[in-house]
Amino acid sequence: MSVTLATPIKDFIELKWSDTAISKYHNIWLRDNCHCEKCHYSLTKQRLLNSATINPDIKPKSIDLKQDGLNIIWDQEDHESKYDFNWLRLHSYQPRLIPIDEKLKDGKKLLKREFWQVKEIEKNLPTVDYNKIMESTDNNNENAIKDWVLKIWKHGFCLIDNVPVTPEDTEKLCEKLNYIRPTHYGGFWDFTSDLAKADTAYTNFDISSHTDGTYWSDTPGLQLFHLLYHDGTGGTTSLVDAFKCAEILKQKYPESYEIFCRIPVPAHSAGEEKVCIQPDEYNPIFKLDDQGQLLQVRWNQSDRSTMDNWENPETDIPRFYQAIRNWVEIITSPENEMWYQMKPGQCLIFDNWRVFHSRSEFTGKRRLCGAYFERDDFVSRLKLLVLGRQAVLDAI
């Protein structure tokens, strides 16, 4: 796509594209986004320019249309800036010519997620092989890791087969994916139902569907489990695609969906004598992005704190508890809750922002190990492996 005309108008420059579309760019914005070597360090992809030094009334002294870009000499210090047409098109904001979800080249197609119900997933569980993952290195073919992260992203979970039944090998698997997130439970954890930590995860109780860490400001992005040993009965795990269930809730009970998007829910972790964690800001159960799309579900009935700060208690309290009833009806439906028996040698990893997990009551000794991962680290790895570094850099 090329530009046929560039016209300075007051404090902005108007570009007419070859497809007749018109974009407007503020002078100060263009100057701030100069990528010359004085303004931008190409090695680290960081700004060098102090935006506060730009004259708010800066104007172009000259505008030169080249074959593949726009050259501008500014009236402040005669600074010269060059802008690639593809970059200008991608970042056009007045109006936006490329939708936000299409800024990453091929991202909308390659990173399309598949929301599921039990009948659609139970006979074709996303699975990868431990040995293939461990053979991958940064210096050779990373297709096995690419396949792994893409399955986690698309389906919200993935199984890893043929894992040696040791915590050491499981930890090495975790490190192949990304950095392990340390918390007050430790970094990589290895535990039984001995209440070594004051949390129901360290008991043999039945635990209903939930996400972990609703009491943290930044909840873990992923969680990995490996059942190392169990000599009793029970302890079955369930998985629920909360994004699919949110679609159902929105369609079936729109008022409940709105309540879950709006009402902030306090949470805490206070079982440990020296721990009382609460998020800086209370969040609603459904977190939407700036396009109104569901970004995260925070759901944990066990960790919900006392809710005593309501804007409209007369209407919101009964609606909130009705929303809980409607939600639990959906997430516990056999159509949506898939029961799965973990076993030694097979790890389970899931998206803690999207997929709920639960555990039935059990008997006997049960040993589990695993870890948390940051979401940002995971999404970075995903985009770079699936889309390529250049596509990611072009969009920032």
Side-chain angles (χ1 to χ4, degrees):
M1 188 69 66
S2 61
V3 171
T4 59
L5 184 65
T7 307
I9 304 175
K10 294 184 178 179
D11 61 349
F12 59 86
I13 295 174
E14 182 180 272
L15 301 185
K16 185 174 182 180
W17 296 89
S18 54
D19 64 353
T20 73
I22 293 176
S23 299
K24 295 180 180 180
Y25 303 85
H26 287 75
N27 295 331
I28 194 169
W29 184 90
L30 285 168
R31 177 64 188 90
D32 187 45
N33 284 284
C34 177
H35 277 58
C36 77
E37 62 181 14
K38 293 181 180 179
C39 299
H40 189 265
Y41 191 24
S42 61
L43 183 64
T44 65
K45 317 304 178 191
Q46 291 174 294
R47 293 174 182 268
L48 298 176
L49 174 65
N50 179 355
S51 302
T53 64
I54 303 173
N55 183 344
D57 298 318
I58 192 170
K59 289 180 172 53
K61 285 181 67 175
S62 67
I63 301 174
D64 190 10
L65 281 178
K66 300 292 186 180
Q67 186 174 356
D68 59 354
L70 184 71
N71 287 12
I72 299 175
I73 295 178
W74 300 102
D75 65 359
Q76 183 179 3
E77 300 175 347
D78 286 333
H79 185 84
E80 183 176 7
S81 301
K82 298 179 180 181
Y83 306 93
D84 179 81
F85 286 150
N86 290 331
W87 183 89
L88 287 165
R89 181 85 177 189
L90 187 64
H91 296 283
S92 173
Y93 59 86
Q94 191 178 353
R96 174 158 293 287
L97 298 179
I98 307 296
I100 288 290
D101 62 356
E102 294 179 15
K103 280 182 66 178
L104 278 167
K105 185 180 180 182
D106 296 327
K108 190 173 182 179
K109 176 180 67 176
L110 296 178
L111 298 180
K112 181 177 175 59
R113 293 197 275 191
E114 300 175 9
F115 303 155
W116 51 265
Q117 291 182 288
V118 175
K119 64 182 179 181
E120 298 156 348
I121 198 79
E122 63 179 345
K123 293 183 179 178
N124 189 27
L125 301 178
T127 306
V128 295
D129 181 74
Y130 168 86
N131 295 302
K132 290 182 179 179
I133 290 172
M134 299 308 292
E135 289 169 1
S136 298
T137 69
D138 292 340
N139 298 321
N140 70 8
N141 195 326
E142 288 190 292
N143 282 340
I145 296 179
K146 174 182 173 181
D147 181 48
W148 186 22
V149 297
L150 195 54
K151 284 178 176 175
I152 297 169
W153 178 257
K154 283 191 172 183
H155 306 289
F157 75 99
C158 185
L159 304 176
I160 306 96
D161 282 339
N162 302 314
V163 183
V165 188
T166 70
E168 293 80 12
D169 288 296
T170 308
E171 186 172 9
K172 290 177 183 177
L173 171 67
C174 291
E175 291 169 345
K176 270 292 184 180
L177 177 64
N178 233 310
Y179 307 107
I180 292 173
R181 170 174 168 166
T183 70
H184 62 294
Y185 301 113
F188 181 83
W189 22 263
D190 179 359
F191 68 96
T192 63
S193 55
D194 59 0
L195 273 176
K197 297 287 185 181
D199 188 276
T200 51
Y202 290 75
T203 70
N204 65 345
F205 299 167
D206 175 271
I207 303 175
S208 63
S209 287
H210 65 284
T211 58
D212 275 22
T214 55
Y215 43 77
W216 280 309
S217 298
D218 180 20
T219 56
L222 301 176
Q223 185 169 189
L224 180 141
F225 288 140
H226 189 187
L227 180 66
L228 299 173
Y229 177 83
H230 186 200
D231 63 5
T233 61
T236 309
T237 296
S238 79
L239 299 174
V240 177
D241 188 342
F243 277 32
K244 179 64 178 181
C245 291
E247 286 184 346
I248 297 170
L249 184 75
K250 187 175 184 179
Q251 181 179 27
K252 192 173 181 180
Y253 305 110
E255 186 178 82
S256 294
Y257 182 88
E258 186 275 333
I259 284 285
F260 273 13
C261 290
R262 178 170 58 84
I263 301 294
V265 178
H268 65 274
S269 175
E272 291 287 296
E273 189 66 27
K274 296 184 178 181
V275 172
C276 187
I277 298 173
Q278 296 171 284
D280 293 327
E281 181 180 31
Y282 299 149
N283 294 277
I285 292 167
F286 292 165
K287 181 179 180 180
L288 307 182
D289 65 19
D290 56 7
Q291 304 299 304
Q293 299 299 309
L294 186 60
L295 179 64
Q296 178 186 12
V297 179
R298 304 168 74 109
W299 173 255
N300 194 313
Q301 297 225 66
S302 299
D303 296 337
R304 189 171 72 241
S305 304
T306 305
M307 297 179 66
D308 57 7
N309 186 21
W310 303 83
E311 286 189 13
N312 301 293
E314 291 294 325
T315 56
D316 282 349
I317 288 180
R319 288 176 180 174
F320 179 76
Y321 286 100
Q322 182 59 51
I324 287 180
R325 285 190 290 273
N326 294 338
W327 180 239
V328 171
E329 168 200 313
I330 293 169
I331 66 175
T332 59
S333 163
E335 295 179 344
N336 298 315
E337 188 172 28
M338 181 183 71
W339 288 93
Y340 154 78
Q341 183 61 60
M342 292 196 294
K343 59 186 179 182
Q346 185 182 70
C347 289
L348 165 67
I349 189 168
F350 54 90
D351 182 344
N352 187 57
W353 284 29
R354 170 183 167 185
V355 169
F356 294 166
H357 64 288
S358 76
R359 184 197 68 205
S360 66
E361 185 179 359
F362 66 89
T363 64
K365 183 178 180 181
R366 187 175 186 264
R367 183 183 176 193
L368 193 74
C369 67
Y372 289 130
F373 304 87
E374 295 283 6
R375 175 181 168 84
D376 290 343
D377 293 332
F378 168 71
V379 173
S380 168
R381 192 91 192 269
L382 169 79
K383 289 179 178 178
L384 291 173
L385 285 172
V386 176
L387 304 177
R389 182 168 174 79
Q390 193 56 53
V392 176
L393 292 178
D394 287 344
I396 61 178

